[in-house]
Amino acid sequence: MQDRYRLPRSVIPSRYDLTIEPDLEAATFSGTEAVTVEVHERIDEIVINALDLEIDNGWLSNAAGTRIEVSGIAFDEELQRATLGLADPADPGSWTLYLAFRGELNDQLHGFYRSTYADDDGDIHTIATTQFEAADARRAFPCWDEPDLKAVFAITLIVPDGLAAISNGPEVEREDLGNDRIRVRFAETMSMSTYLVAFVVGRLECSDPVDADGVPIRVVYVPGKGHLTKFALDAAVFSMWFFTDYYGLPYPDRKVDMIALPDFAQGAMENTGCITYRESLLLVDPEQATQPELENIADVVAHELAHQWFGNLVTMRWWNGIWLNEAFATFMALVTVDAWRPDWERWSSFARACTSAKEVDALHATRAIEYPVHSPDDTAGMFDVLTYQKGAATLRMLDRYLGGDEFRDGIRLYLQRHAYGNTETHDLWNALEEASGEPVRRIMDQWIWQGGYPLLTVSSDDEGVRIAQRRFLADGADDVTTWDVPLRVRELGGEERSVLVPAGGVSSPADPDAAMVANAGASSFVRVRYDGDLLDRLTGRLSEVSPLERYGLVDDHWAAVSSGAADASAFVRFAAGFQDEDDLAVWQALMAGLGWCDRFVEGEARERFRGFVRGLVAPAMDRLGWEAREEDADLTRALRGALLQGLGVLGADPNAEAAAREFEGEARAGKPVDPALAAAAVNVVAVAGDADYYERFWEAYRDAPTPQEQLRYLIALPLFRDPALMDRTLAATLGDDIRSQNAPFVVAFAGTNRDLGPRSWTFLTEHWDDLVSRFPSSLTIRMVDGVRFLSRPEDVAAAAAFFERHPIPQSAKTLQQMLERQRIAAALRLRATPDLTAYFSS
Ligand SMILES: [Zn+2]
């Protein structure tokens, strides 16, 4: 049966000649299109996607000179369609459909929308730009807006003289139309899906093109920011070289422009040859940026370029396949950045991202990675950690299990076989199975089609070591779901090897005293629990356990606390064993657990807890030195920043607070301060800061020389612990000082404030309608994210009651997950408060 959301297949487009003229001042646009179509059966109407557009007139004509007028147009809001009635029936054959249409440049950051910025004189400039994925091309021009209806796009923009005009293809012709109007024509694209079309018009500048194997790459930016483009260009050139080699296919189109937009709802968008970004994910001064800020940019640049082949050249047939598109680009970005900057130990920070995915995937309200998608709106729920991080983690697990060369050969086969076409998920498994000879589809189907993941229990018996599995659930509940688990194991001092753990578990011979690491290299998406003294054997020899594996030990230990299988005080004792730790990711895992503990102790017990944190962290900081050194590796700098923050925020350490005030003050005065220290200092100062600092933070936010520094100060505003300042920050999310792309995150961060989080909840509920109408609808769910930190029983009841009356239909699943996480945090508070209070009182 034809799904009601799919267009009829009686008319199929192959080429759009599209002309668009925006009026930036009036915030409107007009356009015409001539669409080459093949009519497959006699028709008297044409059904096409169109939303928030006026269609003025249209007709159908063919080479024989027949012309059929569009005699009536009926719009269907719900299905986002126009039905074009024809004055006479049209016979099967080749036709061209002509349409003239008009629309408004919206402020919702989707379709054809308006972004603005103020120049140095305070004059406001408007940029007209697009964001079409998943199904918003229909807001800019009438089209067959489904990913398998690929076509060639020949785009023309008519723009005021002096403005930049950019689209998917390179510019091929420019004509002066008089009256300050210029017609700019772009080369036609490869055959591609509508969601990858893009055009941008505005007062923008372009960097000189850099050549990557014959493909010119530029960065496009708001005037005055040209000095922030080099890092992204370097990352792009490396990525292009890497992908051309890895995929075994040249870049499929003609050029790459990477455009930094002041207003952008997502992180970035892989429009073919015309990739759009948030400014903070493209423009950077590497001398002023932290290692994670640089890593983010390198990741996103590589991710969007990875899509140009995987996604743009070969595309999912329908939106159920979006997870594979995103998971694969995420995985490839990791591989690429790891090859570009091995010193960043990219897989370590990915382990942290996997923790976020594991937290969600341990809920009853999790979902399978892939699920049936009917309406394009169902796709909204796919853009989350389960798609990006869990999806990428399952691909990595497969890559490690098959071997890197076999995995790459499968990818090459897949791309060659399906170039310019559309696929289902199993087409990739088939290609990997063919290249490797392994039962890829059987293994992957379990990981893709069922939610959750296994908890592996390691125990010793007479014969050796036994690995059993059951599903890990965040509330400790039982569940019978099982997986074939591709796993790497090793004994300390021995070689790593692969095992496939079946549903019933597996035994392997081992020395009775062996110290066994399950999930060696942390390459599988599982948690591990060690029975008896097996954990002590590992913690007794921590220096022989790799940093990624130590990360796993800490992260899994905290997950056990969170699910009720271990006490918070046991975690504190366990953490005390890491006093010699020198790895960033491991420290971050320790701090994450201790950060929760800090929420559950008060008064005298809290003072003692803070003393414990200082006793653990200060020696590590002393070993590292409080000042950055010229010869420090990037990760050493990042670790120093993390320790400063841990000492200052969790330890309330006076030395750390004083150092932070000094670093922050110097950085704000433009003096050279190590970026990791400067960034950490902003948070430490905010947590202990008064109204004077608050004013200075606003100033620093407004005058920040880079997008990263601006974000650091913005995100620190909700960390101040004076109620009046919190109220000002929250009120500002409804004003003009904070862009709608960022404001939802400020509201969310306010929820994480240990003492004032509940105030953000009051604000959220009192201003709900206002907030919802102000922010892009895809970001509504983001501002709710702080709710999971509000763990008092009354908070849980209030949230449940509120969202009963105020659902978020476009993010229903994610909301359910947030509320479940809130309940888990509340249960943890009930257990951990007496436990930690007793522990820190003795
Ligand atoms: Zn992507």
Side-chain angles (χ1 to χ4, degrees):
M1 194 191 90
Q2 174 81 37
D3 193 305
R4 68 191 290 261
Y5 291 98
R6 308 286 183 103
L7 293 169
R9 286 333 201 223
S10 48
V11 181
I12 302 289
S14 60
R15 177 188 169 95
Y16 294 77
D17 281 278
L18 180 65
T19 300
I20 300 272
E21 179 169 10
D23 181 334
L24 300 189
E25 267 161 42
T28 59
F29 64 93
S30 58
T32 58
E33 64 185 356
V35 191
T36 308
V37 298
E38 192 66 25
V39 173
H40 288 286
E41 59 194 57
R42 194 173 154 89
I43 53 166
D44 51 19
E45 61 181 32
I46 294 175
V47 184
I48 192 168
N49 290 119
L51 183 60
D52 296 339
L53 291 175
E54 304 276 343
I55 299 177
D56 292 326
N57 59 64
W59 67 91
L60 203 56
S61 71
N62 66 8
T66 308
R67 173 170 162 143
I68 304 172
E69 298 296 324
V70 170
S71 54
I73 302 173
F75 287 95
D76 180 333
E77 282 274 328
E78 194 228 330
L79 292 177
Q80 308 182 348
R81 286 177 185 171
T83 299
L84 313 174
L86 300 176
D88 297 301
D91 287 324
S94 296
W95 295 84
T96 304
L97 173 67
Y98 293 87
L99 291 174
F101 52 92
R102 286 173 292 129
E104 286 181 12
L105 298 173
N106 69 73
D107 291 317
Q108 285 288 311
L109 315 192
H110 62 194
F112 197 17
Y113 74 90
R114 179 164 71 156
S115 171
T116 56
Y117 69 90
D119 64 20
D120 290 344
D121 299 327
D123 293 333
I124 304 292
H125 298 272
T126 299
I127 299 166
T129 185
T130 57
Q131 167 60 37
F132 291 164
E133 194 181 21
D136 287 323
R138 63 191 64 175
R139 295 176 187 272
F141 59 98
C143 56
W144 282 261
D145 201 9
E146 299 184 8
D148 67 328
L149 294 172
K150 288 189 170 187
V152 167
F153 291 85
I155 294 169
T156 300
L157 295 173
I158 298 174
V159 303
D161 195 7
L163 295 190
I166 295 159
S167 185
N168 303 93
E171 180 179 323
V172 289
E173 193 181 274
R174 178 171 277 257
E175 187 187 346
D176 191 341
L177 300 178
N179 287 332
D180 274 348
R181 288 161 77 232
I182 306 283
R183 175 159 49 212
V184 185
R185 202 164 64 77
F186 300 91
E188 60 186 44
T189 66
M190 67 171 168
S191 183
M192 65 180 200
S193 309
T194 45
Y195 79 94
L196 296 168
V197 173
F199 29 87
V200 183
V201 175
R203 186 170 161 275
L204 296 164
E205 290 177 355
C206 301
S207 68
D208 289 333
V210 176
D211 178 89
D213 280 339
V215 180
I217 307 181
R218 300 185 301 179
V219 171
V220 182
Y221 49 89
V222 162
K225 299 187 176 179
H227 61 294
L228 303 176
T229 57
K230 184 173 182 307
F231 180 83
L233 284 167
D234 288 349
V237 169
F238 181 87
S239 300
M240 286 289 275
W241 168 81
F242 188 86
F243 292 136
T244 308
D245 177 63
Y246 187 97
Y247 292 138
L249 286 173
Y251 175 69
D253 220 283
R254 312 266 290 271
K255 59 90 174 168
V256 174
D257 284 323
M258 304 194 292
I259 304 164
L261 293 167
D263 298 283
F264 196 76
Q266 284 73 28
M269 176 63 209
E270 70 266 23
N271 316 301
T272 304
C274 185
I275 306 171
T276 44
Y277 292 80
R278 279 185 176 224
E279 287 189 333
S280 61
L281 290 175
L282 191 66
L283 303 177
V284 70
D285 174 357
E287 297 300 313
Q288 304 297 322
T290 65
Q291 185 271 337
E293 287 164 352
L294 292 174
E295 185 178 276
N296 259 342
I297 292 173
D299 265 10
V300 176
V301 166
H303 177 113
E304 305 310 330
L305 287 171
H307 274 313
Q308 303 298 312
W309 289 259
F310 201 106
N312 298 12
L313 178 66
V314 179
T315 312
M316 61 270 159
R317 190 177 310 286
W318 183 247
W319 298 112
N320 58 303
I322 198 75
W323 80 265
L324 182 58
N325 194 26
E326 294 306 342
F328 187 84
T330 302
F331 171 72
M332 277 315 289
L334 291 160
V335 174
T336 309
V337 174
D338 190 47
W340 188 43
R341 294 297 303 267
D343 58 314
W344 283 354
E345 296 174 13
R346 189 62 192 84
W347 297 107
S348 282
S349 46
F350 181 61
R352 292 197 66 220
C354 284
T355 295
S356 308
K358 283 178 190 168
E359 285 171 2
V360 174
D361 203 26
L363 303 172
H364 293 278
T366 190
R367 62 170 177 85
I369 291 181
E370 184 166 338
Y371 56 84
V373 170
H374 300 288
S375 141
D377 286 346
D378 298 345
T379 316
M382 263 199 191
F383 293 92
D384 68 358
V385 285
L386 297 174
T387 283
Y388 287 80
Q389 275 72 35
K390 185 187 179 186
T394 58
L395 291 173
R396 177 175 190 237
M397 188 161 67
L398 189 61
D399 172 77
R400 299 267 297 177
Y401 182 72
L402 299 181
D405 290 348
E406 288 77 5
F407 186 86
R408 185 205 55 214
D409 290 348
I411 299 299
R412 287 181 177 176
L413 183 64
Y414 169 80
L415 289 175
Q416 281 158 14
R417 186 174 284 168
H418 301 288
Y420 306 103
N422 293 80
T423 57
E424 297 288 350
T425 302
H426 61 246
D427 292 318
L428 178 65
W429 305 151
N430 290 346
L432 287 163
E433 198 155 315
E434 220 172 300
S436 69
E438 293 282 336
V440 173
R441 190 161 170 182
R442 177 173 66 85
I443 297 174
M444 291 310 281
D445 275 352
Q446 301 174 28
W447 287 88
I448 299 315
W449 291 104
Q450 50 187 22
Y453 59 93
L455 169 69
L456 303 179
T457 312
V458 187
S459 55
S460 25
D461 58 17
D462 297 342
E463 281 114 73
V465 167
R466 169 145 192 88
I467 302 176
Q469 64 162 298
R470 63 189 173 91
R471 182 176 175 188
F472 178 74
L473 279 160
D475 62 358
D478 279 326
D479 186 288
V480 295
T481 314
T482 56
W483 290 260
D484 281 326
V485 185
L487 189 71
R488 307 278 290 170
V489 297
R490 73 184 176 100
E491 287 172 32
L492 291 189
E495 290 289 298
E496 204 178 294
R497 58 197 162 85
S498 284
V499 275
L500 194 66
V501 182
V506 69
S507 289
S508 66
D511 193 304
D513 304 323
M516 165 75 87
V517 183
N519 202 14
S523 51
S524 295
F525 197 80
V526 298
R527 290 197 181 281
V528 181
R529 199 164 292 163
Y530 295 91
D531 276 355
D533 67 344
L534 288 175
L535 181 62
D536 294 338
R537 292 186 200 173
L538 293 176
T539 51
R541 295 164 68 182
L542 273 183
S543 61
E544 295 173 61
V545 181
S546 78
L548 260 175
E549 292 160 357
R550 295 202 297 277
Y551 176 87
L553 291 179
V554 177
D555 186 47
D556 289 342
H557 203 300
W558 180 255
V561 173
S562 190
S563 70
D567 290 333
S569 58
F571 178 82
V572 172
R573 277 195 301 277
F574 171 78
F578 285 77
Q579 74 274 13
D580 296 327
E581 185 55 57
D582 58 4
D583 183 78
L584 173 64
V586 182
W587 272 112
Q588 285 166 328
L590 290 165
M591 304 283 197
L594 293 173
W596 276 108
C597 293
D598 179 50
R599 293 174 177 273
F600 305 137
V601 282
E602 303 291 346
E604 179 72 9
R606 190 172 185 216
E607 283 313 312
R608 291 187 189 207
F609 168 78
R610 288 171 157 175
F612 166 80
V613 171
R614 291 193 294 271
L616 181 64
V617 182
M621 189 69 168
D622 291 337
R623 282 199 301 277
L624 215 53
W626 287 65
E627 300 274 350
R629 280 182 290 257
E630 193 66 37
E631 67 272 20
D632 283 339
D634 286 1
L635 289 188
T636 304
R637 292 167 191 268
L639 173 58
R640 188 182 288 110
L643 295 178
L644 177 70
Q645 186 162 328
L647 264 182
V649 174
L650 295 180
D653 178 55
N655 294 332
E657 289 173 355
R661 280 193 295 273
E662 192 183 318
F663 293 139
E664 193 277 330
E666 286 179 356
R668 193 155 29 80
K671 293 186 190 153
V673 177
D674 177 68
L677 287 173
V682 166
N683 293 329
V684 176
V685 169
V687 168
D690 58 12
D692 281 348
Y693 269 106
Y694 184 79
E695 297 302 339
R696 282 179 235 169
F697 271 41
W698 267 111
E699 234 170 84
Y701 162 70
R702 291 197 188 95
D703 301 341
T706 67
Q708 291 74 28
E709 205 171 316
Q710 183 170 49
L711 265 187
R712 280 180 216 158
Y713 278 101
L714 176 64
I715 295 304
L717 291 173
L719 299 180
F720 281 83
R721 288 185 181 170
D722 173 338
L725 302 179
M726 173 61 96
D727 292 347
R728 278 180 60 190
T729 301
L730 289 167
T733 61
L734 287 169
D736 292 332
D737 287 327
I738 305 177
R739 289 183 187 272
S740 69
Q741 65 168 7
N742 292 330
F745 297 95
V746 174
V747 177
F749 272 106
T752 71
N753 188 306
R754 181 192 180 280
D755 304 324
L756 303 175
R759 250 182 147 74
S760 76
W761 174 253
T762 308
F763 173 83
L764 191 78
T765 52
E766 284 175 358
H767 299 277
W768 181 255
D769 292 340
D770 230 7
L771 291 162
V772 167
S773 63
R774 249 185 106 75
F775 305 152
S777 67
S778 62
L779 296 184
T780 302
I781 189 69
R782 293 292 136 231
M783 66 180 176
V784 181
D785 197 37
V787 80
R788 59 196 172 84
F789 293 91
L790 307 178
S791 54
R792 301 174 308 176
E794 62 267 36
D795 299 329
V796 175
F802 181 79
F803 289 113
E804 192 70 38
R805 283 174 283 117
H806 301 85
I808 309 175
Q810 70 277 26
S811 308
K813 183 57 116 179
T814 310
L815 177 61
Q816 236 184 322
Q817 292 165 350
M818 287 173 179
L819 295 177
E820 187 179 345
R821 292 176 82 177
Q822 185 190 27
R823 293 195 297 274
I824 286 163
L828 174 61
R829 167 181 290 275
L830 277 182
R831 293 190 308 270
T833 300
D835 169 35
L836 289 172
T837 305
Y839 183 79
F840 285 108
S841 301
S842 52

